[in-house]
Amino acid sequence: MSVRVAILLSGGGSNMVRLVESMTGDHPARPVLVMSNDPAAGGLARATALGVDTAAVDHRLFAGDRAAFEDVLHARLMQAEPDLICLAGFMRILTGDFTARWAGRMLNIHPSLLPKYRGLHTHARALEAGDTEAGCTVHEVTADLDDGPIRGQARVPVMPDDCAESLAARVLKAEHRLYPAVVRRFAGGDRTPLMLG
Ligand code: GAR
């Protein structure tokens, strides 16, 4: 029996595409749902084109009531009966109640070498700090933002002429290598961190 994966996103979904494309053949998982908090998210159309079911729960309809939004999100997720949730550019902060429901069964990809630069503007912050190395992290999601157990990291160099955009593009390529590789291991029951150079 395959591990059933739901992917949550808010934007274009390039990580989602890499995840979906990876889940074929002897991969232990299969994508069952791609879901967004934004009905206009480009990733939803890309998922449909890949033949994956999609759904949207527009967070703006809940007027700041995070718990009510998450209840609907959770109910829709349950219809797909996922074993594993992958956040892939999902830009809503989740409450402790929601993360507890999926404890040990929810991964996130973050564009920094955690524990450095939790939250937003990771690339600008790395440049401002004069870092010579940047990267991305896949971690389990817990109640604290960008703080759960690390399941994989990929490192890239920072070039002397980098701006936030050029660094983001290099890190995104590393994300596309890292996330599918970590999900394959994780879905197969291996939680040892994967460290890519
Ligand atoms: C990725 O860089 C991902 O790491 C980041 O959003 C981007 C989504 O790109 N996620 C976060 O910043 C979460 N805090 P994508 O839609 O092309 O996959």
PDB file of all heavy atoms in Angstrom, residues 9-17 43 46 87-91 108-112 119-123 136-137 145-146 168 171-172 175-176, ligand 1:
ATOM      1  N   LEU A   9       0.103  24.253  -0.777  1.00  0.00           N
ATOM      2  CA  LEU A   9       0.902  25.325  -1.362  1.00  0.00           C
ATOM      3  C   LEU A   9       0.102  26.626  -1.385  1.00  0.00           C
ATOM      4  O   LEU A   9      -1.118  26.625  -1.222  1.00  0.00           O
ATOM      5  CB  LEU A   9       1.371  24.941  -2.768  1.00  0.00           C
ATOM      6  CG  LEU A   9       0.321  24.490  -3.788  1.00  0.00           C
ATOM      7  CD1 LEU A   9      -0.482  25.646  -4.351  1.00  0.00           C
ATOM      8  CD2 LEU A   9       0.992  23.744  -4.934  1.00  0.00           C
ATOM      9  N   SER A  10       0.837  27.719  -1.627  1.00  0.00           N
ATOM     10  CA  SER A  10       0.188  29.022  -1.750  1.00  0.00           C
ATOM     11  C   SER A  10       0.538  29.714  -3.065  1.00  0.00           C
ATOM     12  O   SER A  10      -0.055  30.735  -3.392  1.00  0.00           O
ATOM     13  CB  SER A  10       0.617  29.945  -0.594  1.00  0.00           C
ATOM     14  OG  SER A  10       0.265  29.393   0.651  1.00  0.00           O
ATOM     15  N   GLY A  11       1.536  29.201  -3.777  1.00  0.00           N
ATOM     16  CA  GLY A  11       2.030  29.930  -4.945  1.00  0.00           C
ATOM     17  C   GLY A  11       2.145  29.071  -6.191  1.00  0.00           C
ATOM     18  O   GLY A  11       1.279  28.245  -6.476  1.00  0.00           O
ATOM     19  N   GLY A  12       3.268  29.247  -6.873  1.00  0.00           N
ATOM     20  CA  GLY A  12       3.443  28.628  -8.184  1.00  0.00           C
ATOM     21  C   GLY A  12       3.622  27.133  -8.154  1.00  0.00           C
ATOM     22  O   GLY A  12       3.328  26.434  -9.132  1.00  0.00           O
ATOM     23  N   GLY A  13       4.132  26.604  -7.064  1.00  0.00           N
ATOM     24  CA  GLY A  13       4.160  25.157  -6.887  1.00  0.00           C
ATOM     25  C   GLY A  13       5.279  24.422  -7.598  1.00  0.00           C
ATOM     26  O   GLY A  13       5.116  23.248  -7.945  1.00  0.00           O
ATOM     27  N   SER A  14       6.450  25.058  -7.756  1.00  0.00           N
ATOM     28  CA  SER A  14       7.530  24.324  -8.438  1.00  0.00           C
ATOM     29  C   SER A  14       7.994  23.134  -7.589  1.00  0.00           C
ATOM     30  O   SER A  14       8.330  22.068  -8.131  1.00  0.00           O
ATOM     31  CB  SER A  14       8.702  25.246  -8.787  1.00  0.00           C
ATOM     32  OG  SER A  14       9.399  25.661  -7.644  1.00  0.00           O
ATOM     33  N   ASN A  15       8.003  23.277  -6.268  1.00  0.00           N
ATOM     34  CA  ASN A  15       8.363  22.132  -5.421  1.00  0.00           C
ATOM     35  C   ASN A  15       7.311  21.035  -5.513  1.00  0.00           C
ATOM     36  O   ASN A  15       7.647  19.841  -5.544  1.00  0.00           O
ATOM     37  CB  ASN A  15       8.535  22.572  -3.965  1.00  0.00           C
ATOM     38  CG  ASN A  15       9.910  23.140  -3.699  1.00  0.00           C
ATOM     39  OD1 ASN A  15      10.898  22.411  -3.689  1.00  0.00           O
ATOM     40  ND2 ASN A  15       9.988  24.452  -3.510  1.00  0.00           N
ATOM     41  N   MET A  16       6.029  21.432  -5.560  1.00  0.00           N
ATOM     42  CA  MET A  16       4.954  20.447  -5.698  1.00  0.00           C
ATOM     43  C   MET A  16       5.144  19.635  -6.968  1.00  0.00           C
ATOM     44  O   MET A  16       5.009  18.399  -6.964  1.00  0.00           O
ATOM     45  CB  MET A  16       3.601  21.176  -5.705  1.00  0.00           C
ATOM     46  CG  MET A  16       2.382  20.314  -5.950  1.00  0.00           C
ATOM     47  SD  MET A  16       2.065  19.935  -7.694  1.00  0.00           S
ATOM     48  CE  MET A  16       1.792  21.573  -8.371  1.00  0.00           C
ATOM     49  N   VAL A  17       5.470  20.320  -8.092  1.00  0.00           N
ATOM     50  CA  VAL A  17       5.658  19.610  -9.361  1.00  0.00           C
ATOM     51  C   VAL A  17       6.759  18.569  -9.219  1.00  0.00           C
ATOM     52  O   VAL A  17       6.603  17.406  -9.626  1.00  0.00           O
ATOM     53  CB  VAL A  17       5.981  20.603 -10.502  1.00  0.00           C
ATOM     54  CG1 VAL A  17       6.425  19.857 -11.762  1.00  0.00           C
ATOM     55  CG2 VAL A  17       4.771  21.486 -10.803  1.00  0.00           C
ATOM     56  N   GLY A  43      -0.088  26.887  -8.571  1.00  0.00           N
ATOM     57  CA  GLY A  43       0.205  25.476  -8.334  1.00  0.00           C
ATOM     58  C   GLY A  43      -1.010  24.577  -8.508  1.00  0.00           C
ATOM     59  O   GLY A  43      -0.859  23.392  -8.831  1.00  0.00           O
ATOM     60  N   ARG A  46      -1.258  23.661 -12.137  1.00  0.00           N
ATOM     61  CA  ARG A  46      -0.161  22.752 -12.486  1.00  0.00           C
ATOM     62  C   ARG A  46      -0.458  21.345 -11.971  1.00  0.00           C
ATOM     63  O   ARG A  46      -0.143  20.352 -12.625  1.00  0.00           O
ATOM     64  CB  ARG A  46       1.166  23.265 -11.921  1.00  0.00           C
ATOM     65  CG  ARG A  46       1.564  24.605 -12.523  1.00  0.00           C
ATOM     66  CD  ARG A  46       2.841  25.142 -11.920  1.00  0.00           C
ATOM     67  NE  ARG A  46       4.030  24.649 -12.598  1.00  0.00           N
ATOM     68  CZ  ARG A  46       5.264  25.024 -12.269  1.00  0.00           C
ATOM     69  NH1 ARG A  46       5.468  25.865 -11.268  1.00  0.00           N
ATOM     70  NH2 ARG A  46       6.288  24.570 -12.934  1.00  0.00           N
ATOM     71  N   LEU A  87       4.162  20.457   3.117  1.00  0.00           N
ATOM     72  CA  LEU A  87       3.990  21.882   2.857  1.00  0.00           C
ATOM     73  C   LEU A  87       5.041  22.278   1.827  1.00  0.00           C
ATOM     74  O   LEU A  87       6.239  22.005   2.024  1.00  0.00           O
ATOM     75  CB  LEU A  87       4.174  22.686   4.153  1.00  0.00           C
ATOM     76  CG  LEU A  87       3.319  22.275   5.356  1.00  0.00           C
ATOM     77  CD1 LEU A  87       3.576  23.232   6.528  1.00  0.00           C
ATOM     78  CD2 LEU A  87       1.840  22.245   5.002  1.00  0.00           C
ATOM     79  N   ALA A  88       4.592  22.902   0.748  1.00  0.00           N
ATOM     80  CA  ALA A  88       5.513  23.264  -0.336  1.00  0.00           C
ATOM     81  C   ALA A  88       5.207  24.709  -0.749  1.00  0.00           C
ATOM     82  O   ALA A  88       4.431  24.958  -1.666  1.00  0.00           O
ATOM     83  CB  ALA A  88       5.344  22.310  -1.506  1.00  0.00           C
ATOM     84  N   GLY A  89       5.785  25.638   0.010  1.00  0.00           N
ATOM     85  CA  GLY A  89       5.468  27.038  -0.235  1.00  0.00           C
ATOM     86  C   GLY A  89       4.081  27.390   0.270  1.00  0.00           C
ATOM     87  O   GLY A  89       3.378  28.192  -0.336  1.00  0.00           O
ATOM     88  N   PHE A  90       3.688  26.778   1.382  1.00  0.00           N
ATOM     89  CA  PHE A  90       2.391  27.099   2.011  1.00  0.00           C
ATOM     90  C   PHE A  90       2.640  28.231   3.000  1.00  0.00           C
ATOM     91  O   PHE A  90       3.364  28.046   3.985  1.00  0.00           O
ATOM     92  CB  PHE A  90       1.834  25.867   2.724  1.00  0.00           C
ATOM     93  CG  PHE A  90       0.454  26.067   3.304  1.00  0.00           C
ATOM     94  CD1 PHE A  90      -0.643  26.239   2.466  1.00  0.00           C
ATOM     95  CD2 PHE A  90       0.251  26.087   4.673  1.00  0.00           C
ATOM     96  CE1 PHE A  90      -1.916  26.426   2.985  1.00  0.00           C
ATOM     97  CE2 PHE A  90      -1.020  26.261   5.206  1.00  0.00           C
ATOM     98  CZ  PHE A  90      -2.100  26.426   4.363  1.00  0.00           C
ATOM     99  N   MET A  91       2.075  29.407   2.709  1.00  0.00           N
ATOM    100  CA  MET A  91       2.494  30.614   3.413  1.00  0.00           C
ATOM    101  C   MET A  91       1.519  31.053   4.508  1.00  0.00           C
ATOM    102  O   MET A  91       1.386  32.245   4.782  1.00  0.00           O
ATOM    103  CB  MET A  91       2.728  31.742   2.406  1.00  0.00           C
ATOM    104  CG  MET A  91       3.753  31.403   1.334  1.00  0.00           C
ATOM    105  SD  MET A  91       5.346  30.789   1.966  1.00  0.00           S
ATOM    106  CE  MET A  91       6.154  32.343   2.321  1.00  0.00           C
ATOM    107  N   ASN A 108       7.838  20.219   5.954  1.00  0.00           N
ATOM    108  CA  ASN A 108       7.879  21.549   5.328  1.00  0.00           C
ATOM    109  C   ASN A 108       9.250  21.737   4.699  1.00  0.00           C
ATOM    110  O   ASN A 108      10.250  21.213   5.201  1.00  0.00           O
ATOM    111  CB  ASN A 108       7.666  22.625   6.400  1.00  0.00           C
ATOM    112  CG  ASN A 108       7.739  24.031   5.814  1.00  0.00           C
ATOM    113  OD1 ASN A 108       7.147  24.309   4.757  1.00  0.00           O
ATOM    114  ND2 ASN A 108       8.455  24.921   6.483  1.00  0.00           N
ATOM    115  N   ILE A 109       9.288  22.514   3.610  1.00  0.00           N
ATOM    116  CA  ILE A 109      10.586  22.939   3.082  1.00  0.00           C
ATOM    117  C   ILE A 109      10.731  24.430   3.313  1.00  0.00           C
ATOM    118  O   ILE A 109       9.790  25.205   3.093  1.00  0.00           O
ATOM    119  CB  ILE A 109      10.803  22.563   1.602  1.00  0.00           C
ATOM    120  CG1 ILE A 109      12.248  22.885   1.205  1.00  0.00           C
ATOM    121  CG2 ILE A 109       9.793  23.242   0.668  1.00  0.00           C
ATOM    122  CD1 ILE A 109      12.800  22.023   0.107  1.00  0.00           C
ATOM    123  N   HIS A 110      11.912  24.791   3.815  1.00  0.00           N
ATOM    124  CA  HIS A 110      12.162  26.192   4.176  1.00  0.00           C
ATOM    125  C   HIS A 110      13.452  26.642   3.486  1.00  0.00           C
ATOM    126  O   HIS A 110      14.455  25.906   3.506  1.00  0.00           O
ATOM    127  CB  HIS A 110      12.300  26.319   5.696  1.00  0.00           C
ATOM    128  CG  HIS A 110      12.490  27.728   6.146  1.00  0.00           C
ATOM    129  ND1 HIS A 110      11.452  28.635   6.153  1.00  0.00           N
ATOM    130  CD2 HIS A 110      13.586  28.394   6.560  1.00  0.00           C
ATOM    131  CE1 HIS A 110      11.914  29.811   6.575  1.00  0.00           C
ATOM    132  NE2 HIS A 110      13.201  29.696   6.823  1.00  0.00           N
ATOM    133  N   PRO A 111      13.458  27.862   2.909  1.00  0.00           N
ATOM    134  CA  PRO A 111      14.618  28.281   2.114  1.00  0.00           C
ATOM    135  C   PRO A 111      15.750  28.896   2.925  1.00  0.00           C
ATOM    136  O   PRO A 111      16.195  30.020   2.650  1.00  0.00           O
ATOM    137  CB  PRO A 111      13.999  29.287   1.131  1.00  0.00           C
ATOM    138  CG  PRO A 111      12.865  29.879   1.882  1.00  0.00           C
ATOM    139  CD  PRO A 111      12.338  28.797   2.783  1.00  0.00           C
ATOM    140  N   SER A 112      16.209  28.171   3.931  1.00  0.00           N
ATOM    141  CA  SER A 112      17.425  28.577   4.654  1.00  0.00           C
ATOM    142  C   SER A 112      18.003  27.337   5.317  1.00  0.00           C
ATOM    143  O   SER A 112      17.342  26.292   5.387  1.00  0.00           O
ATOM    144  CB  SER A 112      17.133  29.631   5.730  1.00  0.00           C
ATOM    145  OG  SER A 112      16.563  29.026   6.869  1.00  0.00           O
ATOM    146  N   GLY A 119      11.222  32.045   9.351  1.00  0.00           N
ATOM    147  CA  GLY A 119      10.334  33.115   8.882  1.00  0.00           C
ATOM    148  C   GLY A 119      10.662  33.550   7.466  1.00  0.00           C
ATOM    149  O   GLY A 119      11.125  32.761   6.654  1.00  0.00           O
ATOM    150  N   LEU A 120      10.452  34.842   7.203  1.00  0.00           N
ATOM    151  CA  LEU A 120      10.502  35.352   5.827  1.00  0.00           C
ATOM    152  C   LEU A 120      11.842  36.004   5.492  1.00  0.00           C
ATOM    153  O   LEU A 120      12.692  36.186   6.357  1.00  0.00           O
ATOM    154  CB  LEU A 120       9.370  36.373   5.628  1.00  0.00           C
ATOM    155  CG  LEU A 120       7.948  35.818   5.813  1.00  0.00           C
ATOM    156  CD1 LEU A 120       6.919  36.943   5.718  1.00  0.00           C
ATOM    157  CD2 LEU A 120       7.627  34.726   4.808  1.00  0.00           C
ATOM    158  N   HIS A 121      11.997  36.358   4.198  1.00  0.00           N
ATOM    159  CA  HIS A 121      13.145  37.131   3.685  1.00  0.00           C
ATOM    160  C   HIS A 121      14.479  36.448   4.010  1.00  0.00           C
ATOM    161  O   HIS A 121      15.461  37.108   4.365  1.00  0.00           O
ATOM    162  CB  HIS A 121      13.118  38.556   4.255  1.00  0.00           C
ATOM    163  CG  HIS A 121      11.787  39.209   4.124  1.00  0.00           C
ATOM    164  ND1 HIS A 121      11.159  39.388   2.906  1.00  0.00           N
ATOM    165  CD2 HIS A 121      10.922  39.697   5.060  1.00  0.00           C
ATOM    166  CE1 HIS A 121       9.983  39.963   3.110  1.00  0.00           C
ATOM    167  NE2 HIS A 121       9.809  40.157   4.378  1.00  0.00           N
ATOM    168  N   THR A 122      14.500  35.144   3.878  1.00  0.00           N
ATOM    169  CA  THR A 122      15.681  34.378   4.277  1.00  0.00           C
ATOM    170  C   THR A 122      16.921  34.759   3.455  1.00  0.00           C
ATOM    171  O   THR A 122      18.020  34.840   4.000  1.00  0.00           O
ATOM    172  CB  THR A 122      15.406  32.871   4.105  1.00  0.00           C
ATOM    173  OG1 THR A 122      14.974  32.646   2.759  1.00  0.00           O
ATOM    174  CG2 THR A 122      14.329  32.394   5.062  1.00  0.00           C
ATOM    175  N   HIS A 123      16.722  34.973   2.148  1.00  0.00           N
ATOM    176  CA  HIS A 123      17.889  35.221   1.283  1.00  0.00           C
ATOM    177  C   HIS A 123      18.492  36.595   1.562  1.00  0.00           C
ATOM    178  O   HIS A 123      19.716  36.731   1.652  1.00  0.00           O
ATOM    179  CB  HIS A 123      17.489  35.061  -0.184  1.00  0.00           C
ATOM    180  CG  HIS A 123      16.784  33.776  -0.448  1.00  0.00           C
ATOM    181  ND1 HIS A 123      17.381  32.556  -0.233  1.00  0.00           N
ATOM    182  CD2 HIS A 123      15.518  33.501  -0.847  1.00  0.00           C
ATOM    183  CE1 HIS A 123      16.523  31.590  -0.512  1.00  0.00           C
ATOM    184  NE2 HIS A 123      15.377  32.140  -0.878  1.00  0.00           N
ATOM    185  N   CYS A 136      18.719  25.103   1.964  1.00  0.00           N
ATOM    186  CA  CYS A 136      17.325  24.849   2.310  1.00  0.00           C
ATOM    187  C   CYS A 136      17.250  23.657   3.261  1.00  0.00           C
ATOM    188  O   CYS A 136      18.195  22.874   3.364  1.00  0.00           O
ATOM    189  CB  CYS A 136      16.503  24.584   1.059  1.00  0.00           C
ATOM    190  SG  CYS A 136      17.204  23.324  -0.023  1.00  0.00           S
ATOM    191  N   THR A 137      16.113  23.571   3.929  1.00  0.00           N
ATOM    192  CA  THR A 137      15.931  22.551   4.966  1.00  0.00           C
ATOM    193  C   THR A 137      14.548  21.927   4.829  1.00  0.00           C
ATOM    194  O   THR A 137      13.563  22.643   4.632  1.00  0.00           O
ATOM    195  CB  THR A 137      16.018  23.196   6.371  1.00  0.00           C
ATOM    196  OG1 THR A 137      17.262  23.871   6.503  1.00  0.00           O
ATOM    197  CG2 THR A 137      15.869  22.161   7.476  1.00  0.00           C
ATOM    198  N   LEU A 145       7.308  27.857  14.707  1.00  0.00           N
ATOM    199  CA  LEU A 145       7.560  28.156  13.297  1.00  0.00           C
ATOM    200  C   LEU A 145       8.962  27.704  12.862  1.00  0.00           C
ATOM    201  O   LEU A 145       9.959  28.103  13.482  1.00  0.00           O
ATOM    202  CB  LEU A 145       7.398  29.666  13.061  1.00  0.00           C
ATOM    203  CG  LEU A 145       7.550  30.135  11.622  1.00  0.00           C
ATOM    204  CD1 LEU A 145       6.403  29.620  10.762  1.00  0.00           C
ATOM    205  CD2 LEU A 145       7.634  31.654  11.551  1.00  0.00           C
ATOM    206  N   ASP A 146       9.016  26.909  11.798  1.00  0.00           N
ATOM    207  CA  ASP A 146      10.279  26.487  11.175  1.00  0.00           C
ATOM    208  C   ASP A 146      11.251  25.886  12.190  1.00  0.00           C
ATOM    209  O   ASP A 146      12.449  26.183  12.184  1.00  0.00           O
ATOM    210  CB  ASP A 146      10.941  27.688  10.461  1.00  0.00           C
ATOM    211  CG  ASP A 146      10.041  28.269   9.388  1.00  0.00           C
ATOM    212  OD1 ASP A 146       9.285  27.506   8.778  1.00  0.00           O
ATOM    213  OD2 ASP A 146      10.096  29.487   9.166  1.00  0.00           O
ATOM    214  N   ALA A 168      18.003  33.219  -4.313  1.00  0.00           N
ATOM    215  CA  ALA A 168      16.756  32.453  -4.210  1.00  0.00           C
ATOM    216  C   ALA A 168      16.662  31.426  -5.332  1.00  0.00           C
ATOM    217  O   ALA A 168      16.234  30.283  -5.119  1.00  0.00           O
ATOM    218  CB  ALA A 168      15.559  33.394  -4.266  1.00  0.00           C
ATOM    219  N   VAL A 171      18.978  28.535  -4.543  1.00  0.00           N
ATOM    220  CA  VAL A 171      18.436  27.725  -3.440  1.00  0.00           C
ATOM    221  C   VAL A 171      17.233  26.914  -3.921  1.00  0.00           C
ATOM    222  O   VAL A 171      17.078  25.741  -3.553  1.00  0.00           O
ATOM    223  CB  VAL A 171      18.057  28.621  -2.235  1.00  0.00           C
ATOM    224  CG1 VAL A 171      17.292  27.819  -1.186  1.00  0.00           C
ATOM    225  CG2 VAL A 171      19.311  29.242  -1.619  1.00  0.00           C
ATOM    226  N   LEU A 172      16.405  27.520  -4.774  1.00  0.00           N
ATOM    227  CA  LEU A 172      15.216  26.804  -5.256  1.00  0.00           C
ATOM    228  C   LEU A 172      15.620  25.541  -6.025  1.00  0.00           C
ATOM    229  O   LEU A 172      14.987  24.490  -5.879  1.00  0.00           O
ATOM    230  CB  LEU A 172      14.354  27.720  -6.133  1.00  0.00           C
ATOM    231  CG  LEU A 172      12.972  27.174  -6.524  1.00  0.00           C
ATOM    232  CD1 LEU A 172      12.090  26.935  -5.291  1.00  0.00           C
ATOM    233  CD2 LEU A 172      12.259  28.114  -7.497  1.00  0.00           C
ATOM    234  N   GLU A 175      16.280  23.058  -3.547  1.00  0.00           N
ATOM    235  CA  GLU A 175      15.019  22.559  -2.978  1.00  0.00           C
ATOM    236  C   GLU A 175      14.468  21.431  -3.840  1.00  0.00           C
ATOM    237  O   GLU A 175      13.968  20.418  -3.347  1.00  0.00           O
ATOM    238  CB  GLU A 175      13.990  23.690  -2.880  1.00  0.00           C
ATOM    239  CG  GLU A 175      14.368  24.790  -1.894  1.00  0.00           C
ATOM    240  CD  GLU A 175      13.309  25.866  -1.778  1.00  0.00           C
ATOM    241  OE1 GLU A 175      12.109  25.538  -1.770  1.00  0.00           O
ATOM    242  OE2 GLU A 175      13.675  27.059  -1.691  1.00  0.00           O
ATOM    243  N   HIS A 176      14.565  21.631  -5.167  1.00  0.00           N
ATOM    244  CA  HIS A 176      14.008  20.638  -6.089  1.00  0.00           C
ATOM    245  C   HIS A 176      14.755  19.310  -6.031  1.00  0.00           C
ATOM    246  O   HIS A 176      14.197  18.268  -6.345  1.00  0.00           O
ATOM    247  CB  HIS A 176      14.033  21.204  -7.518  1.00  0.00           C
ATOM    248  CG  HIS A 176      13.143  22.393  -7.690  1.00  0.00           C
ATOM    249  ND1 HIS A 176      13.251  23.268  -8.739  1.00  0.00           N
ATOM    250  CD2 HIS A 176      12.127  22.867  -6.914  1.00  0.00           C
ATOM    251  CE1 HIS A 176      12.345  24.216  -8.626  1.00  0.00           C
ATOM    252  NE2 HIS A 176      11.649  23.998  -7.518  1.00  0.00           N
TER     253      HIS A 176
HETATM  254  C1  GAR B   1      10.094  27.903  -1.838  1.00  0.00           C
HETATM  255  O1  GAR B   1      11.301  28.595  -1.934  1.00  0.00           O
HETATM  256  C2  GAR B   1       9.882  27.438  -0.409  1.00  0.00           C
HETATM  257  O2  GAR B   1      11.046  27.051   0.241  1.00  0.00           O
HETATM  258  C3  GAR B   1       9.308  28.675   0.207  1.00  0.00           C
HETATM  259  O3  GAR B   1       8.413  29.183  -0.759  1.00  0.00           O
HETATM  260  C4  GAR B   1       8.899  28.837  -2.056  1.00  0.00           C
HETATM  261  C5  GAR B   1       7.790  28.184  -2.825  1.00  0.00           C
HETATM  262  O4  GAR B   1       8.152  28.000  -4.170  1.00  0.00           O
HETATM  263  N1  GAR B   1       8.646  28.396   1.443  1.00  0.00           N
HETATM  264  C6  GAR B   1       8.657  29.211   2.486  1.00  0.00           C
HETATM  265  O5  GAR B   1       9.200  30.286   2.482  1.00  0.00           O
HETATM  266  C7  GAR B   1       7.894  28.693   3.685  1.00  0.00           C
HETATM  267  N2  GAR B   1       8.207  29.472   4.837  1.00  0.00           N
HETATM  268  P1  GAR B   1       7.297  27.050  -5.103  1.00  0.00           P
HETATM  269  O6  GAR B   1       5.827  27.476  -4.982  1.00  0.00           O
HETATM  270  O7  GAR B   1       7.840  27.309  -6.487  1.00  0.00           O
HETATM  271  O8  GAR B   1       7.513  25.646  -4.650  1.00  0.00           O
END
